[in-house]
Amino acid sequence: MKKEEYIKVGISVGDLNGIGTEIILKTFEDSRMLEFCTPIIFASIKTMSFLKKHFNSSINFHGINDINQVVEGKVNVFNVWKDNVNIEFGKEDQFIGQLAVKSLEKATEALKNDAIDVLVTAPINKLTIQSDSFKFPGHTNYLAKELGGTSLMFMVTDELKVGLLTDHVPVKDVAKHITPKLITEKVETVYESLVKDFKINKPRIAILGINPHAGDNGVIGEEDDKVVKPTLEKIREKGKLVYGPYSADSFFGSKNYKNFDAIVASYHDQGLIPFKTITFGEGVNFTAGLSKVRTSPDHGTAFEIAGKGIADESSFKEAVFTAIQVFKNRKEYKKISKNPLKTAPKKI
C-alpha cells in the first residue's frame, strides 16, 4: 500500500469508566487494522498502559506529544493529559467526564487542522461531560458547532440507514420542533449523504409519520397532514424520490424498509429502537452533513459490564471501517465532480 493511502483515524476515548477503551484495545489488537489505517488515540500513554495491563491486551503503543510524531504501522497515543487517573469502572465521575471532553476537544482540533482524516468517538456519559464551558447534550451537537453544517444523526449499516428529524429532544417537544424548514433541511442532508458518502446515485427515502398511524387523516393529530405531507410534496417537485409519511408501527415489521435507501424517523426512539433491534452490534452512528467524517458505535458506555473484559467491539470496528469508506467515497466524489468533462471520451 502506498503511503498516501493510509488514513489517519483519530479516536476520542469517551468515558474511561465505561467500555470505550476496552473496545478500542480489542479493535486494534488485530494487527490487520494497521494495514490500511493509522490510529491516533487521544488520551494518555500512562492511562492506556494501565488499561492494557487490566485487560491483558497484547497491543503495543507509540506515545506522542505532537501530532507530527505519528508513526504509520503503530497504534499512536497522543498525550492529552499526563497525570495518573483513578479509573473506577461503572462509576459516574465528573473528573472522568472532563477527561472525555479533553480527548474530544483535542481530537476535533486535529480534525479541523487536517492532522487526522476522520474521527471515531467512543461513548461518553452525557451527564458527566457537562460543565460551564461544555453544555452540549452529546457529540453531534458539539461537532456541528465546531465543524459547521447541518448535522444529522444517521444510523447506518450496508442494508439499513436511519436518519432523525429530531435527536436528543424530549418526546413532549418533538411535534413543535418539526417544521417544514427542518424536514427540508434534514431530507436534503440525508439525500446528499447517500450520494456523496455512500455512492447511491438516485436515493429513495421514506419518511415516518410523527403520530401513531401517521395521524389517521387527522384523527390522531394534525401534524402529519398539515406539516409533513405538504413539505414532502414540495421536495418531490424538485425531483427527489421522497415518500411518506408512513405509519411507523408496521414499517419495519413488514420489511417495507428494504424498499428504500434510507428512512427518516421523526424522533430518537422511533428510529433507533427498530434500527438497533435489527442491526445491534453491526450498526454505526454517522454524523451526516458535516465538513468532516465522524462515526461512533451504536451503543453507550455500558457501565454495567465495564472493566469485565466482555464488551463486544464489533460496532466500534464497523465505525472505523465506515469512517474510512466514507472518507474515500467523499474524496472520489469530489474528484469526479471537480471536472466531470475530464473523464469524458474525446471526440474524433
Side-chain angles (χ1 to χ4, degrees):
M1 184 175 283
K2 294 177 183 176
K3 188 175 180 181
E4 63 268 22
E5 292 177 337
Y6 279 89
I7 291 173
K8 290 187 175 71
V9 178
I11 298 159
S12 61
V13 291
D15 195 296
L16 294 170
N17 287 346
I19 64 168
T21 48
E22 180 186 344
I23 58 179
I24 292 168
L25 291 171
K26 286 180 174 178
T27 294
F28 292 104
E29 276 177 354
D30 184 347
S31 59
R32 292 171 299 180
M33 297 292 291
L34 302 179
E35 293 173 9
F36 58 91
C37 74
T38 300
I40 302 105
I41 302 168
F42 288 82
S44 143
I45 195 72
K46 282 184 181 179
T47 303
M48 295 307 297
S49 295
F50 166 80
L51 290 160
K52 170 186 173 177
K53 186 177 180 181
H54 176 86
F55 291 110
N56 195 26
S57 172
S58 60
I59 200 167
N60 290 314
F61 296 122
H62 173 66
I64 59 174
N65 296 307
D66 188 299
I67 203 70
N68 296 317
Q69 296 172 335
V70 167
V71 175
E72 289 178 354
K74 301 282 187 182
V75 179
N76 299 268
V77 177
F78 185 99
N79 285 307
V80 179
W81 61 85
K82 294 183 180 179
D83 296 333
N84 291 320
V85 177
N86 183 33
I87 294 174
E88 296 182 70
F89 293 110
K91 182 181 177 183
E92 287 190 345
D93 184 312
Q94 204 70 29
F95 177 71
I96 293 292
Q98 294 316 300
L99 291 182
V101 171
K102 285 184 179 181
S103 174
L104 175 61
E105 288 176 337
K106 202 67 181 177
T108 303
E109 180 187 321
L111 188 65
K112 288 165 74 173
N113 294 332
D114 295 322
I116 58 175
D117 297 311
V118 300
L119 172 62
V120 181
T121 60
I124 52 174
N125 179 287
K126 291 180 174 61
L127 176 64
T128 60
I129 60 168
Q130 303 303 319
S131 69
D132 290 339
S133 59
F134 193 95
K135 296 179 179 179
F136 298 93
H139 287 112
T140 304
N141 309 76
Y142 169 74
L143 292 168
K145 176 184 173 291
E146 291 296 314
L147 301 174
T150 305
S151 68
L152 174 128
M153 186 183 288
F154 206 11
M155 308 299 293
V156 302
T157 66
D158 288 341
E159 302 299 323
L160 177 61
K161 295 175 177 61
V162 177
L164 303 178
L165 289 180
T166 63
D167 41 56
H168 296 128
V169 171
V171 173
K172 67 181 178 65
D173 298 331
V174 166
K176 67 184 180 187
H177 274 79
I178 298 177
T179 62
K181 182 175 183 288
L182 180 75
I183 295 168
T184 304
E185 284 180 353
K186 297 296 185 181
V187 169
E188 183 65 35
T189 300
V190 169
Y191 186 92
E192 284 193 11
S193 182
L194 291 171
V195 173
K196 296 177 182 179
D197 300 331
F198 298 99
K199 300 175 74 171
I200 300 170
N201 290 328
K202 196 71 175 172
R204 291 169 56 86
I205 301 171
I207 313 295
L208 302 183
I210 300 171
N211 298 298
H213 308 293
D216 253 349
N217 296 312
V219 176
I220 317 175
E222 299 179 332
E223 292 87 355
D224 293 290
D225 285 339
K226 291 189 174 181
V227 179
V228 182
K229 286 181 182 178
T231 306
L232 297 187
E233 284 174 14
K234 288 183 180 179
I235 295 172
R236 281 193 291 269
E237 287 170 6
K238 296 178 182 178
K240 289 184 172 62
L241 303 177
V242 180
Y243 305 90
Y246 289 97
S247 178
D249 63 345
S250 59
F251 186 83
F252 292 93
S254 66
K255 304 288 193 289
N256 196 12
Y257 70 89
K258 293 188 175 183
N259 297 317
F260 300 93
D261 298 300
I263 296 93
V264 179
S266 293
Y267 55 94
H268 187 279
D269 285 11
Q270 186 191 62
L272 266 62
I273 288 174
F275 179 86
K276 291 186 179 184
T277 300
I278 294 168
T279 71
F280 202 76
E282 301 170 5
V284 172
N285 180 1
F286 167 55
T287 308
L290 298 180
S291 57
K292 302 287 186 179
V293 179
R294 176 262 173 165
T295 62
S296 72
D298 67 354
H299 56 74
T301 54
F303 280 157
E304 67 278 7
I305 61 166
K308 297 178 181 178
I310 58 174
D312 185 347
E313 75 277 16
S314 303
S315 183
F316 187 86
K317 189 175 280 191
E318 284 299 323
V320 174
F321 290 144
T322 299
I324 291 168
Q325 193 56 57
V326 169
F327 180 80
K328 289 180 177 177
N329 289 348
R330 282 191 183 183
K331 200 172 181 181
E332 187 180 327
Y333 180 85
K334 191 175 180 181
K335 187 177 179 181
I336 293 169
S337 303
K338 195 172 182 181
N339 192 352
L341 297 177
K342 206 170 185 179
T343 54
K346 294 180 180 178
K347 291 183 180 179
I348 298 173

